[in-house]
């Protein structure tokens, strides 16, 4: 029979082996943040809040800081939900990212249907950025200032802010202007351009790289590029993704993985088959290991953490199971794979 102190030691060591090393504890010594998108209204769900605070040290509101939700009418700012997340984050020693100040989706009707001139739109956007970034100065350490400004062929996306009617600036001028307004509102916040399908070297990521290089050479306040990483299990070879991360970080800019998920074919109850979960796990492991190879790859964030609330089934019929916890908050092979990568990967 073990002695009393030995018994206590065994109990402490092995009573919760599953979560003996939460992701955030493994991430800290690696110098990378491990984050997730959050819906603040779920924080009252105990398992949601417990899993979130145990495993992650970075949060980002999935929708609550987008223009429509946070600024629903000209004089009304709905800071309640994102404030509750900021309080949760500070209470659990987590940092918060902000998403997003300038996007073509989730804008309120008063902006989209207001028949504004470019000059009026410019002043609406400037005021919005000043108010929102100012409100979270010292609370949000990094912002996705502009989201999804390019088409897949590398041309500028036609949007309310660019040319429909736009704020009156050509090319990447509106992105530059938004970065400058955000920097003025909180000079200490890190400012990102964020996009999807720009993970590998391709015409879209080439255009983003060209913009980043130009901004960097002219002192425009851009600190990094967010790579969303909404992936499938048929991901292209990682070498092309590595080349893209390398060229961005070689500019002296950060890369953050901002919206990682790996969607799988699922049956009616939303469950994926074992082999697919294993493939998914390998992809998660490879992505985490790749980020850790570059010291300027500073955050790995998944788009939610439980399959219970993922955006995937609602947007891609017949697919789901994209995250690291299942719908009842049990860790999946992908979770163990993230742990493995955080434990073993080498950091440049
Ligand atoms: O996950 C978000 C979903 O709840 C919203 O309905 C949707 C609205 O457009 O936006 C989703 O988040 C997107 C993110 O803000 C930007 N990159 C793509 C994400 C998935 O569509």
């Amino acid at each position: 029979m073990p002695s009393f102190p030995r018994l206590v030691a065994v109990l402490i060591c092995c009573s919760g082996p599953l979560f003996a090393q939460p992701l955030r504890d493994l991430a800290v010594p690696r110098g990378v943040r491990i984050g997730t998108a959050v819906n603040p209204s779920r924080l009252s769900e105990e398992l949601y809040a417990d899993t979130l605070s145990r495993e992650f040290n970075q949060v980002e509101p999935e929708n609550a800081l987008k223009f429509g939700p946070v600024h629903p009418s000209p004089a009304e700012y709905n800071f309640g939900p994102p404030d509750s997340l900021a309080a949760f984050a500070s209470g659990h020693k987590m940092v918060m990212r902000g998403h997003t100040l300038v996007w073509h989706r989730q804008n309120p009707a008063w902006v989209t249907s207001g028949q504004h001139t470019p000059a009026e739109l410019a002043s609406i956007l400037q005021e919005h950025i000043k108010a929102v970034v100012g409100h979270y100065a010292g609370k949000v350490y990094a912002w996705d200032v502009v989201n999804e400004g390019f088409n897949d062929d590398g041309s500028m996306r036609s949007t309310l802010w660019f040319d429909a009617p736009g704020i009156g600036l050509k090319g990447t001028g509106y992105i530059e202007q938004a970065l400058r307004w955000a920097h003025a509102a909180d000079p200490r916040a890190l400012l990102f351009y964020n996009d999807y399908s720009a993970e590998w070297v391709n015409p879209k990521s080439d255009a983003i790289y060209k913009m980043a290089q130009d901004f960097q050479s002219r002192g425009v306040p851009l600190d990094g590029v967010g790579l969303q990483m909404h992936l499938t299990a048929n991901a292209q070879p990682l070498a092309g993704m590595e080349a893209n991360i390398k060229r961005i970080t070689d500019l002296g800019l950060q890369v953050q993985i901002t919206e990682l998920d790996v969607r799988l074919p699922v049956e009616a109850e939303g469950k994926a088959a074992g082999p697919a979960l294993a493939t998914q796990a390998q992809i998660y492991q490879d992505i985490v290991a790749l980020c850790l190879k570059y010291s300027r790859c500073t955050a790995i964030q998944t788009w939610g953490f439980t399959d219970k609330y993922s955006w995937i089934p609602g947007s891609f019929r017949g697919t789901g199971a994209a995250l690291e916890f299942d719908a009842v908050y049990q860790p999946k092979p992908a979770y163990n794979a993230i742990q493995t990568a955080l434990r073993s990967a080498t950091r440049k």
Side-chain angles (χ1 to χ4, degrees):
M1 180 161 165
S3 65
F4 181 67
R6 176 123 186 267
L7 184 62
V8 170
V10 168
L11 283 175
I12 290 172
C13 123
C14 306
S15 55
L18 214 46
F19 306 118
Q21 285 194 293
L23 302 180
R24 61 182 289 173
D25 294 355
L26 293 170
V28 169
R30 297 305 196 166
V32 73
R33 292 203 164 101
I34 187 93
T36 178
V38 174
N39 180 342
S41 72
R42 307 282 181 213
L43 293 174
S44 55
E45 188 183 325
E46 206 177 328
L47 265 176
Y48 185 96
D50 287 353
T51 309
L52 176 61
S53 60
R54 185 185 69 231
E55 299 291 341
F56 300 94
N57 59 11
Q58 173 177 292
V59 289
E60 172 171 312
E62 183 170 349
N63 290 298
L65 275 175
K66 292 169 181 172
F67 203 132
V70 82
H71 194 174
S73 60
E76 185 195 351
Y77 285 92
N78 183 20
F79 287 129
D83 278 358
S84 71
L85 183 56
F88 184 92
S90 99
H92 293 93
K93 298 193 165 35
M94 304 161 117
V95 293
M96 181 150 137
R97 287 185 100 256
H99 173 85
T100 176
L101 299 165
V102 184
W103 194 26
H104 60 283
R105 299 183 68 183
Q106 283 175 282
N107 292 304
W110 71 270
V111 175
T112 56
S113 319
Q115 307 288 326
H116 301 289
T117 63
E120 285 164 355
L121 263 187
S123 99
I124 287 170
L125 186 58
Q126 179 175 17
E127 183 52 39
H128 175 78
I129 291 175
K130 190 175 166 199
V132 176
V133 176
H135 183 85
Y136 289 102
K139 291 185 179 153
V140 162
Y141 87 99
W143 278 99
D144 288 335
V145 176
V146 179
N147 192 41
E148 303 172 2
F150 289 92
N151 296 311
D152 287 352
D153 66 3
S155 58
M156 300 289 297
R157 187 195 288 272
S158 192
T159 79
L160 172 70
W161 309 113
F162 172 51
D163 63 351
I167 63 168
L169 297 169
K170 298 246 177 294
T172 56
Y174 87 95
I175 301 177
E176 173 175 348
Q177 180 62 84
L179 289 163
R180 292 191 188 283
W181 283 332
H183 185 65
D186 181 3
R188 286 182 309 169
L190 297 175
L191 305 182
F192 284 77
Y193 173 82
N194 190 55
D195 215 327
Y196 66 87
S197 297
E199 292 81 15
W200 282 267
V201 173
N202 58 32
K204 189 189 239 184
S205 67
D206 285 349
I208 294 167
Y209 177 74
K210 203 167 142 241
M211 173 182 76
Q213 203 174 28
D214 168 45
F215 285 180
Q216 187 76 335
S217 71
R218 292 189 296 110
V220 177
L222 175 71
D223 297 287
V225 175
L227 302 177
Q228 296 186 7
M229 298 216 190
H230 294 293
L231 305 180
T232 68
N234 302 317
Q236 301 164 44
L238 279 188
M241 189 189 281
E242 174 156 11
N244 191 39
I245 291 177
K246 182 170 187 315
R247 68 176 172 173
I248 298 168
T249 54
D250 279 351
L251 287 176
L253 294 173
Q254 294 188 27
V255 163
Q256 296 197 333
I257 296 170
T258 51
E259 306 185 14
L260 176 61
D261 49 25
V262 183
R263 59 185 179 269
L264 301 176
V266 290
E267 32 82 316
E269 291 88 60
K271 293 232 160 75
L277 291 170
T279 305
Q280 178 186 59
Q282 189 61 50
I283 294 171
Y284 270 95
Q285 188 167 327
D286 291 346
I287 299 287
V288 174
L290 178 56
C291 176
L292 288 173
K293 273 180 78 173
Y294 292 88
S295 60
R296 291 198 183 100
C297 184
T298 52
I300 301 161
Q301 177 169 273
T302 52
W303 205 236
F305 55 96
T306 165
D307 291 336
K308 186 173 183 183
Y309 297 126
S310 164
W311 72 292
I312 292 289
S315 297
F316 298 91
R317 266 175 91 92
T319 73
L323 294 165
E324 61 272 53
F325 287 91
D326 69 14
V328 291
Y329 299 96
Q330 289 304 301
K332 292 162 60 183
Y335 173 87
N336 300 97
I338 299 172
Q339 278 193 327
T340 303
L342 287 171
R343 278 200 198 103
S344 55
T346 48
R347 194 98 165 108
K348 260 188 202 159

